[in-house]
Short mmCIF file of all heavy atoms in Angstrom, two decimals:
data_model
loop_
_atom_site.label_atom_id
_atom_site.label_comp_id
_atom_site.label_asym_id
_atom_site.label_seq_id
_atom_site.Cartn_x
_atom_site.Cartn_y
_atom_site.Cartn_z
N TYR A 1 73.83 137.41 -193.89
CA TYR A 1 73.94 138.09 -192.61
C TYR A 1 73.48 137.15 -191.50
O TYR A 1 72.49 136.43 -191.65
CB TYR A 1 73.05 139.35 -192.58
CG TYR A 1 73.48 140.42 -193.56
CD1 TYR A 1 72.87 140.50 -194.82
CD2 TYR A 1 74.48 141.33 -193.24
CE1 TYR A 1 73.26 141.47 -195.73
CE2 TYR A 1 74.87 142.31 -194.15
CZ TYR A 1 74.26 142.36 -195.39
OH TYR A 1 74.65 143.32 -196.30
N VAL A 2 74.22 137.19 -190.40
CA VAL A 2 73.80 136.47 -189.19
C VAL A 2 73.26 137.51 -188.23
O VAL A 2 73.98 138.42 -187.81
CB VAL A 2 74.97 135.70 -188.54
CG1 VAL A 2 74.48 134.96 -187.30
CG2 VAL A 2 75.59 134.72 -189.52
N TYR A 3 71.99 137.39 -187.90
CA TYR A 3 71.35 138.33 -186.97
C TYR A 3 71.38 137.69 -185.59
O TYR A 3 70.69 136.70 -185.32
CB TYR A 3 69.91 138.60 -187.41
CG TYR A 3 69.21 139.68 -186.61
CD1 TYR A 3 69.31 141.02 -186.98
CD2 TYR A 3 68.44 139.37 -185.49
CE1 TYR A 3 68.65 142.01 -186.26
CE2 TYR A 3 67.79 140.35 -184.76
CZ TYR A 3 67.91 141.68 -185.15
OH TYR A 3 67.26 142.67 -184.43
N VAL A 4 72.21 138.25 -184.71
CA VAL A 4 72.46 137.62 -183.42
C VAL A 4 72.22 138.61 -182.30
O VAL A 4 72.44 139.82 -182.45
CB VAL A 4 73.91 137.06 -183.37
CG1 VAL A 4 74.94 138.16 -183.53
CG2 VAL A 4 74.18 136.27 -182.09
N ARG A 5 71.77 138.11 -181.17
CA ARG A 5 71.48 138.97 -180.02
C ARG A 5 72.76 139.60 -179.49
O ARG A 5 73.79 138.94 -179.31
CB ARG A 5 70.84 138.15 -178.90
CG ARG A 5 69.53 137.51 -179.28
CD ARG A 5 68.97 136.69 -178.13
NE ARG A 5 68.38 137.54 -177.10
CZ ARG A 5 67.16 138.07 -177.18
NH1 ARG A 5 66.41 137.85 -178.24
NH2 ARG A 5 66.70 138.81 -176.20
N ALA A 6 72.70 140.90 -179.19
CA ALA A 6 73.84 141.60 -178.60
C ALA A 6 74.17 141.06 -177.21
O ALA A 6 75.29 141.23 -176.72
CB ALA A 6 73.57 143.09 -178.54
N GLU A 7 73.18 140.38 -176.57
CA GLU A 7 73.42 139.80 -175.24
C GLU A 7 74.28 138.54 -175.31
O GLU A 7 74.56 137.94 -174.27
CB GLU A 7 72.09 139.46 -174.56
CG GLU A 7 71.21 140.65 -174.27
CD GLU A 7 70.18 140.92 -175.36
OE1 GLU A 7 70.47 140.63 -176.54
OE2 GLU A 7 69.10 141.40 -175.03
N TYR A 8 74.69 138.15 -176.50
CA TYR A 8 75.54 136.97 -176.68
C TYR A 8 76.96 137.39 -177.08
O TYR A 8 77.43 137.07 -178.17
CB TYR A 8 74.97 136.07 -177.78
CG TYR A 8 73.74 135.27 -177.41
CD1 TYR A 8 73.09 134.50 -178.37
CD2 TYR A 8 73.21 135.28 -176.12
CE1 TYR A 8 71.97 133.74 -178.05
CE2 TYR A 8 72.09 134.55 -175.80
CZ TYR A 8 71.47 133.78 -176.77
OH TYR A 8 70.35 133.04 -176.46
N PRO A 9 77.68 138.14 -176.25
CA PRO A 9 78.99 138.66 -176.68
C PRO A 9 80.01 137.58 -177.03
O PRO A 9 80.80 137.74 -177.95
CB PRO A 9 79.45 139.49 -175.47
CG PRO A 9 78.67 138.97 -174.31
CD PRO A 9 77.35 138.54 -174.87
N LEU A 10 79.98 136.46 -176.29
CA LEU A 10 80.93 135.39 -176.58
C LEU A 10 80.63 134.74 -177.92
O LEU A 10 81.55 134.48 -178.73
CB LEU A 10 80.90 134.33 -175.47
CG LEU A 10 81.89 133.17 -175.59
CD1 LEU A 10 83.32 133.69 -175.55
CD2 LEU A 10 81.66 132.14 -174.48
N ALA A 11 79.35 134.51 -178.20
CA ALA A 11 78.96 133.93 -179.50
C ALA A 11 79.34 134.87 -180.64
O ALA A 11 79.84 134.43 -181.67
CB ALA A 11 77.46 133.64 -179.51
N VAL A 12 79.11 136.17 -180.44
CA VAL A 12 79.44 137.15 -181.47
C VAL A 12 80.94 137.17 -181.73
O VAL A 12 81.39 137.17 -182.88
CB VAL A 12 78.94 138.56 -181.06
CG1 VAL A 12 79.47 139.62 -182.02
CG2 VAL A 12 77.42 138.59 -181.04
N ALA A 13 81.73 137.17 -180.66
CA ALA A 13 83.19 137.23 -180.81
C ALA A 13 83.73 136.00 -181.54
O ALA A 13 84.58 136.12 -182.43
CB ALA A 13 83.85 137.35 -179.43
N ARG A 14 83.22 134.82 -181.18
CA ARG A 14 83.72 133.59 -181.83
C ARG A 14 83.24 133.48 -183.27
O ARG A 14 83.97 133.01 -184.14
CB ARG A 14 83.31 132.37 -181.01
CG ARG A 14 84.10 132.29 -179.71
CD ARG A 14 83.75 131.07 -178.88
NE ARG A 14 84.54 131.05 -177.66
CZ ARG A 14 84.30 130.25 -176.62
NH1 ARG A 14 83.29 129.38 -176.67
NH2 ARG A 14 85.08 130.30 -175.55
N LEU A 15 82.01 133.92 -183.52
CA LEU A 15 81.51 133.91 -184.89
C LEU A 15 82.31 134.88 -185.75
O LEU A 15 82.67 134.55 -186.89
CB LEU A 15 80.03 134.28 -184.90
CG LEU A 15 79.37 134.39 -186.28
CD1 LEU A 15 79.42 133.05 -187.02
CD2 LEU A 15 77.93 134.88 -186.17
N ARG A 16 82.59 136.07 -185.22
CA ARG A 16 83.37 137.05 -185.98
C ARG A 16 84.76 136.51 -186.30
O ARG A 16 85.26 136.66 -187.42
CB ARG A 16 83.47 138.35 -185.19
CG ARG A 16 84.18 139.47 -185.93
CD ARG A 16 84.03 140.80 -185.21
NE ARG A 16 82.71 141.38 -185.43
CZ ARG A 16 81.91 141.79 -184.47
NH1 ARG A 16 82.27 141.65 -183.20
NH2 ARG A 16 80.73 142.32 -184.75
N LYS A 17 85.37 135.85 -185.33
CA LYS A 17 86.70 135.27 -185.57
C LYS A 17 86.63 134.17 -186.61
O LYS A 17 87.52 134.05 -187.48
CB LYS A 17 87.27 134.74 -184.25
CG LYS A 17 88.72 134.29 -184.36
CD LYS A 17 89.34 134.07 -182.99
CE LYS A 17 90.84 133.83 -183.11
NZ LYS A 17 91.49 133.72 -181.78
N ALA A 18 85.58 133.35 -186.55
CA ALA A 18 85.42 132.26 -187.52
C ALA A 18 85.23 132.81 -188.93
O ALA A 18 85.78 132.27 -189.90
CB ALA A 18 84.24 131.38 -187.12
N ILE A 19 84.44 133.89 -189.07
CA ILE A 19 84.23 134.51 -190.38
C ILE A 19 85.56 135.04 -190.93
O ILE A 19 85.89 134.84 -192.11
CB ILE A 19 83.18 135.63 -190.29
CG1 ILE A 19 81.79 135.03 -190.06
CG2 ILE A 19 83.18 136.50 -191.55
CD1 ILE A 19 80.71 136.06 -189.77
N ASP A 20 86.35 135.69 -190.07
CA ASP A 20 87.66 136.20 -190.50
C ASP A 20 88.58 135.07 -190.95
O ASP A 20 89.29 135.20 -191.96
CB ASP A 20 88.32 136.98 -189.34
CG ASP A 20 87.63 138.30 -189.06
OD1 ASP A 20 86.85 138.77 -189.92
OD2 ASP A 20 87.85 138.85 -187.96
N GLN A 21 88.57 133.97 -190.22
CA GLN A 21 89.40 132.83 -190.58
C GLN A 21 88.95 132.21 -191.90
O GLN A 21 89.78 131.86 -192.75
CB GLN A 21 89.37 131.78 -189.47
CG GLN A 21 90.09 132.20 -188.20
CD GLN A 21 89.96 131.17 -187.09
OE1 GLN A 21 89.06 130.32 -187.12
NE2 GLN A 21 90.83 131.23 -186.12
N ALA A 22 87.63 132.08 -192.08
CA ALA A 22 87.12 131.50 -193.32
C ALA A 22 87.48 132.39 -194.52
O ALA A 22 87.84 131.88 -195.59
CB ALA A 22 85.59 131.32 -193.23
N ARG A 23 87.42 133.70 -194.32
CA ARG A 23 87.83 134.63 -195.39
C ARG A 23 89.31 134.45 -195.72
O ARG A 23 89.71 134.40 -196.88
CB ARG A 23 87.59 136.08 -194.96
CG ARG A 23 86.18 136.56 -195.16
CD ARG A 23 86.13 138.08 -195.20
NE ARG A 23 84.78 138.55 -194.95
CZ ARG A 23 84.38 139.16 -193.83
NH1 ARG A 23 85.24 139.36 -192.86
NH2 ARG A 23 83.13 139.54 -193.69
N ALA A 24 90.13 134.39 -194.66
CA ALA A 24 91.57 134.27 -194.86
C ALA A 24 91.93 132.99 -195.61
O ALA A 24 92.91 132.94 -196.37
CB ALA A 24 92.29 134.31 -193.51
N CYS A 25 91.14 131.94 -195.41
CA CYS A 25 91.39 130.65 -196.07
C CYS A 25 90.74 130.56 -197.45
O CYS A 25 90.85 129.53 -198.12
CB CYS A 25 90.89 129.50 -195.20
SG CYS A 25 91.86 129.25 -193.71
N GLY A 26 90.04 131.61 -197.85
CA GLY A 26 89.38 131.58 -199.15
C GLY A 26 88.09 130.78 -199.16
O GLY A 26 87.59 130.42 -200.23
N LEU A 27 87.53 130.51 -197.96
CA LEU A 27 86.29 129.75 -197.87
C LEU A 27 85.07 130.67 -197.77
O LEU A 27 83.94 130.22 -197.77
CB LEU A 27 86.35 128.79 -196.67
CG LEU A 27 87.46 127.73 -196.81
CD1 LEU A 27 87.73 127.07 -195.48
CD2 LEU A 27 87.10 126.70 -197.87
N LEU A 28 85.33 131.96 -197.71
CA LEU A 28 84.35 133.02 -197.92
C LEU A 28 85.02 134.04 -198.82
O LEU A 28 86.25 134.19 -198.80
CB LEU A 28 83.96 133.69 -196.60
CG LEU A 28 83.01 132.96 -195.65
CD1 LEU A 28 82.82 133.76 -194.37
CD2 LEU A 28 81.66 132.69 -196.29
N GLY A 29 84.23 134.72 -199.62
CA GLY A 29 84.79 135.73 -200.51
C GLY A 29 84.57 135.40 -201.97
O GLY A 29 83.60 134.75 -202.34
N LYS A 30 85.50 135.85 -202.80
CA LYS A 30 85.39 135.69 -204.25
C LYS A 30 85.88 134.32 -204.70
O LYS A 30 86.90 133.82 -204.24
CB LYS A 30 86.21 136.77 -204.97
CG LYS A 30 85.79 138.20 -204.64
CD LYS A 30 84.44 138.54 -205.24
CE LYS A 30 84.08 140.00 -205.01
NZ LYS A 30 82.74 140.35 -205.51
#
């Protein structure tokens, strides 16, 4: 888990997108 400040909306959005991309590429997951 990444615990991030809610006051960092841009960081949260880019991190969420990066996590989704890593999952799609099989670099996160099973």
Side-chain angles (χ1 to χ4, degrees):
Y1 295 95
V2 180
Y3 187 88
V4 61
R5 299 179 76 80
E7 296 95 329
Y8 286 176
L10 183 62
V12 171
R14 288 182 180 168
L15 177 61
R16 183 169 283 128
K17 188 167 188 175
I19 289 172
D20 289 344
Q21 290 176 341
R23 277 200 199 109
C25 290
L27 297 165
L28 284 176
K30 301 290 185 183

